[in-house]
Amino acid sequence: MIFTKEQILKALSTVQEPDLKKDLVTLNMIKDVQTEGNKISFTVVLTTPACPLKELIKSSCIEAIHQHVSADAKVEVHMTADVTSARTSAGPMLPGVKNIIAISSGKGGVGKSTVTANLAIALTKLGAKVGLIDADIFGPSMPTMFDLEDVRPSVIQENGKNFIIPVKQYGVELMSIGFLTPPDHAMVWRGPMASSALKQFFSDCKWGELDYLLIDLPPGTSDIHLTLVQTVSVTGAIVVTTPQKVALADAQRGLGMFRQPQINVPVLGVVENMAYFTPLELPDNKYFIFGENGGREFAESNNVPLLGQIPLVQGIRECGDNGKPAAMQNDVIAEAFRELAETLAQQVAIRNASAEATKRVEIKV
Ligand SMILES: Nc1ncnc2c1ncn2[C@@H]1O[C@H](COP(=O)(O)OP(=O)(O)OP(=O)(O)O)[C@@H](O)[C@H]1O
């Protein structure tokens, strides 16, 4: 029996990517179609490193071939991943960096930095290349959370210009103002100086090829937020909040800022942190200390996805203080961060598919 490539592609064009709502052929997700006798093989290129829909897509492909090409064909489906990229906000793309994701919170102390550090680890564990900028210029916490308190990044010279090499820890490329100042040094910079430091993290750092560059922003709304969107194209923003009323009111202001015309960054979703307290010895017991489902309702009322609900557990705080984010373990907490990372990666892919892809432009700052 001889099958043609056209027959196979036609069959696969009946299979929809469930999130992106377009067929696999239109989305350029099929490559390396090969046939030999009764055997048909091809590769599906997924848009996120650990697509939760992998098995569904695979079985739908096999079914489509059996239905539209031959019921007897032996089908071999290989899977790879290539994270997508698209210009969304106004700034230029950073060469080599596919997606820049801003992590914000309205109120301080809701766990934005903790969520960022753990997301970076969880995305790395999924197989993505991840970078992290600690843009909380006035209170950098990444050196502690990644056990890098006394570390200084190295500098190289290229064409007479000095470039900082981000520090690599646990597979994540990191840059923080904390690497450049002593830990006991209080930052008394004015807004423009802080903005200029952030710009330098983009222009003077040698970032490698990255799927996701996470930006841990200072709490609230500030010059830094505006500088970020003017300096680079931001794929989207995440809002971290606790379920508490006062935190939600601030989160609402933060989310509103991303939707203002001069910022205009898509909101990828909400993370409800400290969603409930769980004691170590009674992991099934949930105590809703800060209220129940506040983050979920906040996401619903703003018509954005709820990316995840992270419990308040002693281990998350301890791991952060010990410089080894909880997502590095193999337990239920790490599982919660893995699910969060998968959902975020999925939302980025959806956003990129709907955004108008544009040519990459060299950054000049
Ligand atoms: N889910 C959690 N379970 C337990 N402790 C947590 C959790 N999330 C955050 N924490 C702890 O709460 C404190 C505040 O967290 P974090 O520094 O991440 O907040 P933040 O929003 O980044 O703060 P800031 O406004 O200062 O930037 C830290 O001590 C951290 O270890």
Side-chain angles (χ1 to χ4, degrees), residues 314-333:
Q314 196 173 325
I316 294 183
R317 198 272 303 151
E318 283 173 352
C319 288
D321 285 350
N322 295 335
K324 286 194 169 56
M328 289 173 67
Q329 327 283 325
N330 281 316
D331 57 11
V332 283
I333 297 303

Side-chain angles (χ1 to χ4, degrees), residues 98-133:
K98 289 185 173 174
N99 293 289
I100 295 181
I101 297 164
I103 294 139
S104 72
S105 71
K107 196 168 150 51
V110 296
K112 169 184 47 62
S113 301
T114 303
V115 167
T116 309
N118 282 290
L119 251 183
I121 297 285
L123 285 166
T124 307
K125 278 172 85 177
L126 293 181
K129 296 187 209 95
V130 183
L132 198 169
I133 288 182

Side-chain angles (χ1 to χ4, degrees), residues 65-343:
I65 297 287
H66 284 158
Q67 198 180 343
H68 301 289
V69 182
S70 162
D72 303 323
K74 193 170 172 295
V75 188
E76 214 173 81
V77 188
H78 305 281
M79 298 287 205
T80 63
D82 185 11
V83 174
T84 52
S85 176
R87 167 88 70 91
T88 46
S89 80
M93 303 285 280
L94 192 59
V97 177
K98 289 185 173 174
N99 293 289
I100 295 181
I101 297 164
I103 294 139
S104 72
S105 71
K107 196 168 150 51
V110 296
K112 169 184 47 62
S113 301
T114 303
V115 167
T116 309
N118 282 290
L119 251 183
I121 297 285
L123 285 166
T124 307
K125 278 172 85 177
L126 293 181
K129 296 187 209 95
V130 183
L132 198 169
I133 288 182
D134 187 359
D136 201 344
I137 306 276
F138 304 103
S141 42
M142 290 308 159
T144 304
M145 289 191 186
F146 279 82
D147 195 18
L148 293 170
E149 272 174 317
D150 298 316
V151 173
R152 297 283 170 264
S154 49
V155 174
I156 56 157
Q157 241 199 14
E158 242 180 50
N159 302 325
K161 192 180 167 192
N162 286 337
F163 286 98
I164 303 170
I165 310 288
V167 179
K168 199 159 185 176
Q169 180 77 314
Y170 313 140
V172 179
E173 287 190 39
L174 290 131
M175 196 54 221
S176 167
I177 198 73
F179 295 153
L180 311 175
T181 52
D184 54 357
H185 188 96
M187 300 309 294
V188 284
W189 296 353
R190 290 177 190 282
M193 285 168 75
S195 293
S196 151
L198 177 63
K199 278 188 190 171
Q200 285 188 3
F201 286 170
F202 292 111
S203 60
D204 298 353
C205 282
K206 278 269 166 215
W207 296 103
E209 297 277 318
L210 297 176
D211 293 318
Y212 307 101
L213 176 57
L214 308 184
I215 318 287
D216 183 21
L217 287 166
T221 52
S222 69
D223 281 359
I224 295 276
H225 297 72
L226 198 57
T227 302
L228 175 67
V229 295
Q230 287 168 346
T231 309
V232 285
S233 171
V234 180
T235 310
I238 298 174
V239 179
V240 180
T241 183
T242 65
Q244 195 180 357
K245 228 174 170 181
V246 280
L248 292 167
D250 287 354
Q252 188 64 57
R253 273 190 286 278
L255 190 142
M257 176 198 62
F258 287 113
R259 289 180 167 169
Q260 276 174 21
Q262 75 270 33
I263 302 264
N264 196 23
V265 167
V267 178
L268 297 166
V270 170
V271 177
E272 184 180 309
N273 189 33
M274 310 189 191
Y276 49 87
F277 166 69
T278 299
L280 274 179
E281 60 286 5
L282 295 166
D284 291 333
N285 284 24
K286 293 182 180 179
Y287 302 92
F288 298 93
I289 298 178
F290 296 118
E292 193 172 351
N293 280 325
R296 179 185 294 281
E297 285 157 17
F298 171 70
E300 277 167 13
S301 66
N302 283 286
N303 206 14
V304 294
L306 175 73
L307 299 174
Q309 288 175 304
I310 306 293
L312 174 70
V313 284
Q314 196 173 325
I316 294 183
R317 198 272 303 151
E318 283 173 352
C319 288
D321 285 350
N322 295 335
K324 286 194 169 56
M328 289 173 67
Q329 327 283 325
N330 281 316
D331 57 11
V332 283
I333 297 303
E335 179 67 15
F337 283 115
R338 187 188 60 79
E339 279 174 24
L340 177 64
E342 278 189 0
T343 316

